[in-house]
Amino acid sequence: MCGIVGYVGSKNAVPILLNGLDKLEYRGYDSAGLYIMNNRNEGFVFKAKGRINALREEIDPSVQASVGIGHTRWATHGEPSAINAHPHQSFSQRFTLVHNGVIENYQEIKEQYLDETLLLSDTDTEIIVHMLAYFSEKEHLPTLDALRQTLSLLKGSYAIALIDESQPGTIFAAKNKSPLLLGKGEGFNVICSDAMAMIKETNQFVELMDKEIAIVTKDELIIENANGDSLSRDAYTAEFDSEDLEKGAYPYYMAKEIDEQPAVLRRVVQAYQTQEGNLHVDQVIVDAMLQSDRLYIIAAGTSYHAGLVGKRLFEQLSGIPTEVHVASEFGYHMPILSNNPFFIFISQSGETADSRQVLVSVNEKNYPSLTITNAVGSTLSRESTFTLLLHAGPEIAVASTKAYTAQISVMAILSEVIGLEKGVITESTMKHNLSTAAVAIQSIIESKELIEDLASKQLSLTDHAFFIGRGLDHLVALEAALKLKEISYIHTEGFAAGELKHGTIALIEKGTPIIAFVTEKTTAGHTRGNVQETIARGANTVIISMDGLSRPEDHVIIPEVHPLLTPLVSVIPAQLLAYYASLHRGNDVDKPRNLAKSVTVE
Ligand code: M6R
């Protein structure tokens, strides 16, 4: 969480930094700040609680700067406030620093070195600047050595950008576990948590690796390892279609991203096919998975829900037993593994700390792994053995939509390719199945007014809602509930429909919305029976069913698709219900309270 940017060059740094922070707001948006130095080497700090626009209002428009650093925050230690917002400064104001990550031992460092110091903020970050001051002012170390000494004390994760007032025109940067990129320009250089933040300035980026330090001036990018040895690393070209980063005519990114899903499915198919049009996945990945006796899918949130669907695909199409685990649980409570485990990390951002901590121990044990991600060059992608990309384009709304459908599509292709090679299945139908699903998704999107109407009738005022279903419908119910609760703030749960009568039905009262998915032939009758049980207790029900199983009184009817791909389509009305519920309740759909897009702390 949190996003950081830095610029050094000859243009005015202020608009560049603010624009960069706008692009990083998805990483956290409870407070923000800037430190800039003008051409007379005078430093200015601006901070504000709230969004980047609140920070904009704080900035003296007459201030021009050629160097600066900025931060947008998702609070971990200390409430969102201007005081806790970054940058933080040493008391002499010589050192100014922004930080993304969590310093786990900040209390111990404070007790050992800064016992007498009255800290201004409640953050874990502030001790870093005071330790820099301690080593440089008390122990007279040069800045770089003071930084090295300070970093050697830190336990936890950090991406930091530091300006030493006595060395104007230089930004020092360092990282451990949290991402940080260095961007190269002609006569300027930048740093950022994500290339998106600086893509307007440059598309040439160099990754900083864990425990490295960068010294960034307008003409040079110097990278050193922890011992101070210089390293050379080539830049890569970041490829973004700048239109992908804009909302265009849409009021919210989420609306745009929901609408993009048919195109995303088609793009996924295109990306995983040969010139002859056959579905194809890199043979080394297929071979590694064929050698495995059990797949372990590790993920969080929506990606975990996609993983649950993936299990059905891998077991039924590839014939490989598959387990799905919540990353934050698996890392510290690892079950007994099979003889030849193969790990699959699913992560839109590729930066989720919970998943990364599992990958670190998977790597220690030398198990092969695959990351399925939307983010080229992300931490999980770099650190796992193999990567498959989602090709979904940047997903900016906190509520994940197109990543979910892309994740399922990639796993559908992968499972079919493996199944064909293994002889579990004999016919390739997935390309056709996915294109049928894309058409079905489009038809639901085209009837979004109907879903808006349902949201306004059922979800405008309620405090609780329940999604139910069986089999794959149950898995979609879990995702539907997450989507609705995170952006509407309605307390929502997803249940296996058959479980209702084992406890949850006690919560049903007059008017409680129950949204049921009915897309599975074998269990449709049972789910409808469960719906009746809730109606008998006063629930307001909405039924989302599939053509062929639908009844005239059902509310949303999705076109028939391959039975393993129903989640791709049945999730769309759920995404739209969540979107409209949030909109009608007056929430910020894209930036729900307390959340951030990329969860980079455990
Ligand atoms: O980037 P990841 O896919 O690893 O993120 C995992 C979750 O944090 C994410 O899916 C989260 O649950 C979304 N806000 C759900 O909409």
Side-chain angles (χ1 to χ4, degrees), residues 254-505:
M254 186 181 179
K256 175 174 180 253
E257 289 160 8
I258 290 173
D259 279 11
E260 283 172 350
Q261 291 176 102
V264 168
L265 255 66
R266 294 189 184 104
R267 210 150 61 212
V268 169
V269 169
Q270 224 170 20
Y272 291 102
Q273 67 178 0
T274 59
Q275 277 186 343
E276 295 71 42
N278 301 320
L279 290 180
H280 167 81
V281 175
D282 200 342
Q283 194 61 36
V284 284
I285 301 178
V286 175
D287 289 344
M289 290 179 71
L290 283 169
Q291 279 166 27
S292 164
D293 57 358
R294 187 168 285 259
L295 307 178
Y296 292 83
I297 297 180
I298 311 293
T302 289
S303 297
Y304 169 72
H305 295 152
L308 295 173
V309 178
K311 171 183 163 73
R312 308 290 168 109
L313 289 161
F314 288 120
E315 292 194 335
Q316 292 192 32
L317 300 180
S318 317
I320 310 178
T322 305
E323 293 181 21
V324 193
H325 292 271
V326 167
S328 55
E329 284 299 307
F330 188 88
Y332 301 104
H333 308 96
M334 221 182 258
I336 297 172
L337 299 177
S338 66
N339 291 334
N340 295 309
F342 183 93
F343 284 83
I344 301 178
F345 292 86
I346 307 178
S347 175
Q348 188 284 130
S349 63
E351 298 295 344
T352 298
D354 292 324
S355 299
R356 202 233 174 191
Q357 54 90 10
V358 179
L359 179 55
V360 168
S361 54
V362 161
N363 283 344
E364 278 163 11
K365 295 180 174 73
N366 282 321
Y367 293 136
S369 58
L370 162 70
T371 288
I372 300 178
T373 183
N374 207 20
V376 188
S378 56
T379 307
L380 288 171
S381 162
R382 278 200 323 269
E383 295 182 0
S384 60
T385 328
F386 310 108
T387 296
L388 290 177
L389 292 174
L390 295 179
H391 300 282
E395 190 184 65
I396 298 189
V398 165
S400 185
T401 52
K402 61 179 178 172
Y404 174 81
T405 42
Q407 286 161 345
I408 294 174
S409 304
V410 169
M411 285 188 284
I413 292 172
L414 179 60
S415 57
E416 184 185 89
V417 169
I418 293 172
L420 286 169
E421 183 120 355
K422 207 174 162 190
V424 178
I425 48 174
T426 51
E427 202 191 344
S428 174
T429 60
M430 200 48 79
K431 189 173 161 185
H432 168 75
N433 299 338
L434 285 169
S435 91
T436 309
V439 173
I441 293 173
Q442 189 63 49
S443 76
I444 307 288
I445 289 170
E446 279 162 15
S447 58
K448 57 170 78 152
E449 290 79 18
L450 162 79
I451 296 165
E452 175 164 20
D453 190 47
L454 284 170
S456 115
K457 286 194 181 117
Q458 303 283 358
L459 301 171
S460 287
L461 297 172
T462 187
D463 290 331
H464 307 277
F466 298 95
F467 285 91
I468 61 170
R470 290 168 182 251
L472 285 170
D473 290 339
H474 166 219
L475 308 183
V476 176
L478 298 176
E479 171 56 9
L482 174 60
K483 212 86 310 166
L484 183 60
K485 74 177 94 165
E486 74 178 320
I487 58 172
S488 72
Y489 319 144
I490 298 169
H491 165 235
T492 316
E493 302 297 336
F495 283 101
E499 275 291 290
L500 267 186
K501 58 186 177 296
H502 296 290
T504 313
I505 202 161

Side-chain angles (χ1 to χ4, degrees), residues 40 70 154 158 184 202 208 259 323 373 397 496 587 589 595:
R40 291 191 300 278
L154 306 182
Y158 57 80
K184 285 178 126 173
T202 178
L208 198 63
D259 279 11
E323 293 181 21
T373 183
N587 300 343
V589 176
L595 287 169

Side-chain angles (χ1 to χ4, degrees), residues 242-255:
S242 55
E243 269 186 29
D244 278 353
L245 301 177
E246 306 301 334
K247 285 201 290 272
Y250 287 92
Y252 286 100
Y253 281 105
M254 186 181 179

